[in-house]
Amino acid sequence: DAKTTQPPSMDCAEGRAANLPCNHSTISGNEYVYWYRQIHSQGPQYIIHGLKNNETNEMASLIITEDRKSSTLILPHATLRDTAVYYCIVRVEAAGNKLTFGGGTRVLVKP
Amino acid sequence: EPEVTQTPSHQVTQMGQEVILRCVPISNHLYFYWYRQILGQKVEFLVSFYNNEISEKSEIFDDQFSVERPDGSNFTLKIRSTKLEDSAMYFCASSLSGGEWDTQYFGPGTRLTVL
């Protein structure tokens, strides 16, 4: 999969927006950006994905830069339950249908 | 909302024993996956399965591992002779298609402890 780079950790204040960056400078044309999160040792939870356009759903917004070399996941109003490890994953067609997880960003939402 | 379920939630076994981990994927999904996560490490892909065949497997998925869809609803991972290093969380996932545009949904996991 195309490599992604995320900060290892970040803190966020409860009720504020959390902006999680991800660099994927080697991404190419048809590769999708996916975001998952993992709370404690639970199964990874799908958040959102996109190709070129910005996307929004009930959980988050995904902003992808025009050159697609980076993206930002936005949690609009972080709650304590959003404390988790967030993974940015670029899916590569040539890599088959597996997901390759990196280390992610450990997000701590503080009261 | 449909979800992937896994049983048992925790399995304890002795080294050398066989274990079977069970998963019920989302009902209309056609692609099935197993991943594992050793404590403190990354989530790692093990195998993908489609149309009753393995479509892709990782180096981890050696001859000790096998997968099966024994009926129309269950998807199983068997470890023939467990080793201490097989202790991990095992996650099942499913997707409607195998394309990179399609989302994989994960189950809650089975914690396997090998003593």
Side-chain angles (χ1 to χ4, degrees):
Chain A
D1 283 354
K3 271 188 172 285
T4 60
T5 304
Q6 299 178 254
S9 65
M10 62 184 292
D11 293 346
C12 175
E14 186 181 19
R16 297 288 186 96
N19 296 296
L20 282 62
C22 180
N23 285 317
H24 31 79
S25 58
T26 59
I27 196 170
S28 60
N30 293 323
E31 294 166 357
Y32 284 74
V33 179
Y34 276 79
W35 284 83
Y36 283 81
R37 72 181 183 184
Q38 190 176 26
I39 298 172
H40 297 299
S41 293
Q42 297 175 23
Q45 179 188 21
Y46 165 75
I47 302 173
I48 200 167
H49 73 284
L51 180 62
K52 297 177 183 175
N53 300 322
N54 298 336
E55 302 288 345
T56 295
N57 62 20
E58 65 279 3
M59 289 183 69
S61 295
L62 174 60
I63 309 297
I64 302 174
T65 57
E66 197 168 332
D67 63 8
R68 305 210 320 122
K69 293 185 186 300
S70 65
S71 59
T72 301
L73 178 75
I74 301 172
L75 307 177
H77 304 286
T79 70
L80 300 180
R81 287 180 297 178
D82 291 323
T83 292
V85 179
Y86 287 76
Y87 300 100
C88 169
I89 300 169
V90 172
R91 292 191 66 181
V92 177
E93 184 178 6
N97 45 19
K98 64 178 180 284
L99 293 173
T100 300
F101 288 80
T105 296
R106 187 172 297 276
V107 173
L108 176 62
V109 180
K110 296 181 174 179
Chain B
E1 185 174 313
E3 57 184 21
V4 177
T5 59
Q6 292 185 241
T7 53
S9 57
H10 191 184
Q11 174 90 44
V12 181
T13 189
Q14 295 291 325
M15 190 169 56
Q17 294 296 304
E18 174 183 287
V19 294
I20 297 176
L21 310 183
R22 290 182 168 80
C23 167
V24 179
I26 294 172
S27 62
N28 63 336
H29 284 186
L30 301 176
Y31 287 77
F32 315 111
Y33 313 85
W34 284 101
Y35 293 79
R36 79 170 187 190
Q37 186 176 31
I38 295 170
L39 185 63
Q41 298 187 22
K42 299 175 184 177
V43 177
E44 302 173 288
F45 169 80
L46 291 178
V47 66
S48 60
F49 190 85
Y50 167 70
N51 199 25
N52 281 321
E53 288 184 349
I54 290 174
S55 49
E56 188 177 359
K57 61 182 181 179
S58 72
E59 291 178 354
I60 302 167
F61 194 88
D62 61 22
D63 292 344
Q64 292 298 311
F65 292 88
S66 62
V67 288
E68 191 180 26
R69 188 148 162 85
D71 53 42
S73 60
N74 290 284
F75 179 51
T76 62
L77 174 69
K78 182 193 291 186
I79 309 175
R80 265 181 266 285
S81 178
T82 50
K83 305 174 190 143
L84 295 177
E85 54 265 36
D86 294 328
S87 293
M89 287 290 296
Y90 287 81
F91 299 110
C92 174
S94 70
S95 64
L96 184 59
S97 76
E100 60 275 13
W101 59 86
D102 196 19
T103 302
Q104 292 182 23
Y105 294 93
F106 285 76
T110 293
R111 179 175 300 281
L112 177 64
T113 302
V114 182
L115 303 176

